[in-house]
């Protein structure tokens, strides 16, 4: 447990600090603790980590906000002191309650600034993420107009290079985790409006059908600028992988077969003369005459035994020639392959094709 993931001293009041809890993925009445003030708690028990006032008066209001989806404020007296206790729901893109946040303060006083929190939902069947309006502000995007669930920007494109492998590994854990498990990760991302770096924590769980197949992923994302990512579980392993990708002289990228996109090359696309479209869609980057055979190869490798396979593919290029011939070597990077309930990713090495 890191210094930022510590238990609260029950004898020390936490008046003014915002408490964030996530709904229990298993459907139970007791929520999972996400944070208290600037400290993360990774789904721990609220009863074990809140002070006496919060346990007795704030926790019931958080449970009420989760159950009914409406803010609630009450004045209470605890050991001769008067407190104002407040809790409010964090609504997902479709209006479902994903979390709640709240605080208590002495009557007449003000709490600390509210934490920046937004909820999201990822439709696995449609390969479409949706964000609640508040989450656009967390990332620094303008909130689009419209009714109903708001389609989200591509999350992989806003995560910094060094954090992508950690994000991908977390998404893998999300879709393979036990239904009652709350998954969390901390990652770096630049704000889209200012370009300034910030740290975000994502809490999530998978929703499955009766056969146990994941149908959607849901959760919240919140700002945690004071959190030391280097203390995060799994940081060393993921940063090692990112370092390997950066150090190799080969051009490596990840292909997401589910979305049909290339992601995060360790060197600029222009190094190989590739004029990569903004959305990095495979269908837009690969020559139409090579597209079907290349996509078939990707699927074959994903379902195979882990053997690297190479082919020559024409990619969109700068200049009047229009296309450049590259040798693509593809390797599966998830052990369960296409048969598992997993994200469909393969690693692709690109080099100039031999004459």
């Amino acid at each position: 447990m890191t210094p930022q993931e510590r238990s609260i001293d029950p004898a020390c009041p936490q008046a003014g600090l915002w408490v964030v809890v996530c709904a229990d993925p298993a459907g139970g009445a007791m929520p999972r603790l996400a944070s208290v003030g600037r400290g993360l708690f990774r789904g721990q028990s609220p009863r074990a980590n809140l002070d006496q006032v919060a346990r007795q008066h704030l926790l019931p209001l958080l449970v009420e906000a989760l159950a009914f989806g409406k803010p609630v404020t009450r004045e209470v007296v605890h050991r001769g002191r008067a407190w104002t206790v407040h809790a409010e729901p964090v609504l997902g893109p479709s209006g479902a309650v994903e979390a709640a946040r709240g605080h208590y303060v002495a009557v007449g006083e003000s709490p600390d600034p509210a934490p920046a929190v937004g909820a999201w939902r990822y439709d696995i069947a449609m390969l479409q993420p949706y964000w609640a309006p508040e989450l656009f502000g967390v990332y620094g995007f303008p909130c689009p107009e419209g009714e109903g669930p708001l389609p989200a920007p591509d999350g992989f494109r806003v995560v910094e290079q060094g954090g992508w492998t950690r994000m991908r590994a977390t998404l893998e854990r999300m879709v393979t985790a036990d239904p009652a498990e709350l998954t969390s990760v901390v990652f770096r991302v630049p704000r889209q409006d200012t370009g300034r770096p910030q740290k975000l924590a994502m809490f999530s769980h998978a929703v499955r059908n009766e056969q146990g197949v994941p149908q959607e992923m849901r959760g919240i994302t919140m700002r945690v600028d004071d959190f030391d990512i280097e203390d995060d579980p799994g940081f060393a392993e993921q940063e090692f992988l990112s370092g390997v990708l950066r150090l190799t002289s080969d051009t490596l990228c990840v292909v997401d077969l589910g979305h049909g996109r290339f992601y995060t090359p360790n060197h600029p696309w222009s190094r190989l003369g590739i004029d990569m479209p903004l959305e990095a869609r495979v269908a837009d980057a690969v020559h139409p005459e090579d597209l079907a055979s290349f996509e078939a190869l990707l699927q074959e490798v994903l379902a195979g035994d882990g053997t690297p396979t190479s082919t020559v593919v024409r990619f969109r290029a700068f200049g009047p020639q229009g296309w450049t011939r590259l040798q693509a070597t593809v390797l599966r990077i998830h052990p369960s392959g296409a048969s598992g309930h997993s994200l469909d990713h393969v690693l692709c090495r690109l080099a100039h094709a031999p004459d």
Side-chain angles (χ1 to χ4, degrees):
M1 183 175 295
T2 72
Q4 293 165 308
E5 295 180 284
R6 58 187 182 278
S7 297
I8 296 296
D9 181 358
C12 178
Q14 299 296 305
L17 295 183
W18 283 83
V19 175
V20 179
V21 296
C22 297
D24 184 357
M30 185 54 58
R32 307 287 185 88
L33 185 60
S35 67
V36 178
R38 296 178 177 179
L40 291 182
F41 284 83
R42 304 306 185 97
Q44 297 177 38
S45 166
R47 293 189 186 279
N49 293 282
L50 296 178
D51 63 67
Q52 294 178 359
V53 179
R55 283 201 305 269
Q56 185 170 338
H57 301 289
L58 176 58
L59 184 55
L61 265 64
L62 291 169
V63 172
E64 184 175 333
L66 286 170
F68 297 101
K70 296 182 179 180
V72 56
T73 303
R74 296 197 179 103
E75 290 193 0
V76 302
V77 176
H78 184 89
R79 293 186 177 181
R81 296 187 66 182
W83 304 98
T84 299
V85 189
H86 171 80
E88 58 193 36
V90 178
L91 302 180
S94 301
V97 181
E98 298 295 341
R101 61 185 180 185
H103 62 266
Y104 71 91
V105 293
V107 172
E109 295 185 358
S110 299
D112 289 350
V117 181
W120 54 270
R121 175 173 66 88
Y122 181 81
D123 188 319
I124 296 175
M126 300 300 294
L127 301 175
Q128 176 62 58
Y130 297 95
W131 284 0
E134 296 79 10
L135 192 52
F136 288 88
V138 172
Y139 280 91
F141 284 100
C143 184
E145 298 181 359
E147 298 181 358
L150 300 172
D154 185 346
F156 286 106
R157 296 183 65 86
V158 300
V159 176
E160 288 185 350
Q161 170 76 26
W164 190 89
T165 53
R166 303 179 67 245
M167 175 63 73
R168 190 196 68 79
T170 298
L171 292 174
E172 292 280 7
R173 292 200 307 272
M174 286 170 57
V175 296
T176 57
D178 182 272
E181 182 178 341
L182 185 69
T183 306
S184 64
V185 65
V186 180
F187 56 97
R188 297 185 183 95
V189 59
R191 282 190 61 88
Q192 296 300 300
D193 49 1
T194 65
R196 299 182 61 182
Q198 62 178 352
K199 298 174 187 174
L200 301 179
M202 183 175 70
F203 298 85
S204 52
H205 68 279
V207 179
R208 302 171 183 270
N209 62 15
E210 295 180 354
Q211 290 72 40
V213 178
Q215 300 298 296
E216 63 180 14
M217 296 181 285
R218 294 162 50 174
I220 63 170
T221 300
M222 58 188 297
R223 286 188 61 177
V224 289
D225 287 340
D226 291 337
F227 185 80
D228 188 354
I229 290 182
E230 285 70 14
D231 287 335
D232 194 39
F235 174 83
E237 176 185 354
Q238 297 301 329
E239 287 301 293
F240 174 77
L241 177 57
S242 294
V244 170
L245 293 178
R246 289 192 296 269
L247 285 173
T248 180
S249 59
D250 295 329
T251 296
L252 301 176
C253 64
V254 173
V255 187
D256 178 349
L257 279 67
H259 292 81
R261 294 184 181 179
F262 294 100
Y263 287 118
T264 59
N266 58 335
H267 300 296
W269 295 111
S270 58
R271 175 175 176 171
L272 291 174
I274 301 175
D275 184 11
M276 182 61 67
L278 180 62
E279 294 301 320
R281 295 179 66 245
V282 174
D284 296 333
V286 172
H287 194 287
E289 295 178 2
D290 297 341
L291 180 60
S293 60
F294 182 60
E295 290 181 330
L297 174 65
L298 295 176
Q299 293 291 346
E300 179 182 340
V301 170
L302 183 71
D305 60 2
T307 302
T309 305
S310 297
T311 187
V312 175
V313 183
R314 286 170 288 180
F315 279 77
R316 187 177 299 279
F318 296 99
Q321 71 273 16
W323 303 94
T324 182
R325 295 174 70 252
L326 299 175
Q327 184 174 47
T329 302
V330 186
L331 175 67
R332 192 185 72 201
I333 56 176
H334 189 279
S336 65
S339 61
H341 303 315
S342 167
L343 301 179
D344 298 337
H345 292 82
V346 295
L347 186 66
C348 183
R349 183 185 71 185
L350 298 174
H352 290 292
D355 295 331

